[in-house]
Amino acid sequence: MATSKPDDALGRLESLSRSLKKGAYRGVAAPDQDEEVVADAAAEEKRQQWCEYAVNVARPPSDPTAAPKVLCAVHNFMEDAAMFEWAGVGFGKQETFHIAMSLRKLAADNESLDKLRLWGKILGISSDYYVAEGVLKATPGGAAKPALPGSPEDDVEPQGEGANTWCYWVSAGGAAPWIRLPSARASHIVAARKVKRLMTGSLGAPVDSTPWFPGKERHLLRSQIARISATCTLAVDGFFEPDDAEEAKKNAIRMSDPEGFTFPGHDALATLDSWKHAAPALLGTGKCTWPDLEAFEEGTLSEEQTAALTAAQEAEPAKEMLSGLGEDLADLLPEGAEGSPAWNIKVYGDKGTYTFEGGDAKSYRITAVRSMIWPGAISVAQGTKFANLYIGDGTKSAALVEPNKESGLPLANCAAFSSGNVKLPMAPEDVMDEPGDLQEQEEPQPPLPDEVSDGEDHDEAEAQ
């Protein structure tokens, strides 16, 4: 340095001195080595799991070096989310993207799926349930024999029919896996109509309520999903048509021929006549259809059973598929009023109509149909697309529907909460009226008047 005379001679001298001292030092190393300090180990572990799950979800399901993996028809929730956002319903862009990727991964992990979409979200106390709805591929085989009425097999409708037309998976969100729910049972649906309870977020939680529910929370959740789907799954008029093929199942529908179908206009979508029910309706038995008596062999059913089933079927006929919304709660509609007390229709967004080259007119308005019976159920339509979604606590409400005009009672199966989600809850008893005032009655043994008795004691034995 004395010969070269660098500009930073002092800095080089300090660096050389530090190197010589460090090389000649033979003591114990300093205790403060560079270590990564984690304040919350559990939170850091969850963060690492979330990062790994997010990477796996966003990764394409196919191996780049192998042939592309064929998935089922996964509904594009990213496009539907834009429509729902205009109607005031949504999850946010980041969560919407994660839901779409999670549905794609669920489709890649289940090869038996034919269709898949996001059904909605049921809010719980500890955690929520994201619900996915799917259709399984048809399995080869002939038609199964009808189950005997009252048997355990009769309690569950066949896969692809009635309340089991679709299969459902639930997830707590985040890095939680998708768990398939059991099939819907008619006895659970009937019992769920008498129970009003919030979900806890645990599928194995007991359902402590009055009346008693014969199952865990997973069964109650599945029953509520079946009830909501049967009432609130809608489609525009003409989009579906009954499937009359020989191999088709009961209440099956299919898409109409595109050449003969015209999507309803914007003004027509704002009326109930342009919307139809696209799911089988539930009967009082918890099923969607009555058993076909002609399918049973002679002697299988007794005369009493046949007469009872015939009388029940005549008292409550099964509803037809693709029925109109105007028939819902028609008895509660005031005289001279139009529409239905069960539904509310509103138009959002830009209501203008624009004409493009070629003379085609287009509007970006959003038509939303909301259920007044199941708050949180919504169907939206824009252009030539429509979608259904449910976001709510999974309970039926009568606060938005007028009571019965004759009896004054609220909507059926809309009682107060039968469970406070606490240990051994009991439903509150009916409030008793104040007892009426007691009327004065005459003394059954009135005293003798003074004319008959002088007020002295009278002993019959002494008188004798």
Side-chain angles (χ1 to χ4, degrees):
M1 287 188 293
T3 306
S4 59
K5 297 180 180 181
D7 296 337
D8 55 343
L10 184 58
R12 292 190 178 187
L13 181 61
E14 290 292 339
S15 178
L16 179 61
S17 175
R18 184 167 55 254
S19 299
L20 291 174
K21 292 177 180 179
K22 185 176 180 180
Y25 181 72
R26 295 293 183 270
V28 182
D32 53 346
Q33 299 180 356
D34 295 339
E35 295 182 358
E36 184 178 358
V37 179
V38 179
D40 190 346
E44 180 64 20
E45 184 179 358
K46 291 182 179 179
R47 188 184 70 85
Q48 293 292 341
Q49 292 179 355
W50 162 254
C51 293
E52 294 177 2
Y53 179 79
V55 171
N56 293 333
V57 167
R59 182 181 294 120
S62 300
D63 187 358
T65 61
K69 190 173 184 179
V70 179
L71 303 181
C72 67
V74 182
H75 206 74
N76 191 345
F77 182 66
M78 298 287 290
E79 295 182 358
D80 295 343
M83 295 190 297
F84 288 117
E85 187 176 357
W86 276 102
V89 179
F91 301 97
K93 293 183 178 180
Q94 181 176 354
E95 188 172 358
T96 298
F97 175 77
H98 177 264
I99 292 174
M101 295 297 100
S102 182
L103 291 175
R104 188 182 68 174
K105 187 176 186 302
L106 175 61
D109 296 340
N110 294 270
E111 298 181 356
S112 60
L113 278 171
D114 187 34
K115 298 178 182 179
L116 185 66
R117 76 176 184 97
L118 179 70
W119 182 86
K121 180 180 181 180
I122 291 185
L123 309 178
I125 297 176
S126 301
S127 62
D128 304 330
Y129 291 112
Y130 290 86
V131 184
E133 179 185 87
V135 177
L136 298 179
K137 297 179 180 178
T139 55
K145 295 183 178 180
L148 292 176
S151 63
E153 294 78 9
D154 184 58
D155 195 29
V156 182
E157 293 182 282
Q159 185 64 48
E161 297 182 11
N164 292 317
T165 302
W166 301 279
C167 297
Y168 295 92
W169 288 259
V170 294
S171 173
W178 288 96
I179 301 175
R180 182 176 173 180
L181 293 177
S183 299
R185 305 182 71 91
S187 58
H188 290 165
I189 295 176
V190 173
R193 289 170 173 165
K194 306 175 184 178
V195 174
K196 189 172 183 181
R197 177 183 181 274
L198 295 177
M199 303 296 172
T200 63
S202 174
L203 293 175
V207 182
D208 299 327
S209 64
T210 303
W212 175 71
F213 181 80
K216 300 292 185 180
E217 183 167 301
R218 62 170 64 91
H219 304 103
L220 177 61
L221 176 63
R222 181 64 182 86
S223 301
Q224 294 300 89
I225 292 175
R227 296 176 63 195
I228 297 172
S229 299
T231 306
C232 304
T233 303
L234 307 181
V236 296
D237 184 23
F239 189 84
F240 292 110
E241 63 181 8
D243 191 354
D244 53 0
E246 295 182 358
E247 64 276 6
K249 298 183 179 181
K250 295 181 180 179
N251 292 329
I253 56 177
R254 62 187 179 187
M255 293 182 60
S256 302
D257 187 3
E259 297 181 357
F261 167 68
T262 302
F263 204 90
H266 304 292
D267 296 333
L269 287 174
T271 61
L272 293 178
D273 297 336
S274 296
W275 295 88
K276 302 294 182 181
H277 287 284
L282 292 173
L283 299 171
T285 59
K287 304 174 70 174
C288 296
T289 57
W290 293 101
D292 186 6
L293 301 180
E294 298 180 356
F296 294 97
E297 298 180 359
E298 185 178 357
T300 304
L301 300 177
S302 62
E303 295 182 359
E304 292 78 6
Q305 290 178 321
T306 304
L309 290 174
T310 303
Q313 186 173 358
E314 294 177 354
E316 186 184 8
K319 296 183 180 179
E320 298 181 357
M321 285 290 295
L322 303 176
S323 59
L325 304 188
E327 303 175 2
D328 299 341
L329 301 182
D331 53 339
L332 300 182
L333 187 66
E335 297 182 3
E338 298 181 355
S340 172
W343 302 96
N344 175 265
I345 300 181
K346 189 175 181 179
V347 179
Y348 299 87
D350 185 5
K351 302 178 183 178
T353 303
Y354 302 92
T355 303
F356 295 87
E357 296 182 1
D360 296 335
K362 186 175 182 181
S363 177
Y364 297 96
R365 70 183 68 181
I366 306 292
T367 304
V369 183
R370 299 179 185 269
S371 173
M372 300 289 101
I373 303 176
W374 295 96
I378 182 174
S379 301
V380 296
Q382 182 186 35
T384 58
K385 298 184 299 181
F386 70 94
N388 298 278
L389 187 68
Y390 177 83
I391 302 178
D393 56 11
T395 59
K396 194 175 181 180
S397 175
L400 304 177
V401 180
E402 295 292 333
N404 190 286
K405 293 179 291 185
E406 298 179 358
S407 63
L409 297 176
L411 195 64
N413 304 321
C414 288
F417 281 95
S418 56
S419 169
N421 291 2
V422 295
K423 187 177 181 180
L424 298 179
M426 295 295 293
E429 297 180 356
D430 296 337
V431 178
M432 299 181 63
D433 296 334
E434 292 292 336
D437 297 335
L438 297 178
Q439 297 181 359
E440 295 184 0
Q441 303 291 336
E442 297 183 359
E443 179 66 31
Q445 295 181 356
L448 294 176
D450 295 339
E451 292 79 6
V452 179
S453 175
D454 56 359
E456 296 181 359
D457 296 337
H458 178 70
D459 190 353
E460 295 181 357
E462 292 181 357
Q464 295 178 357

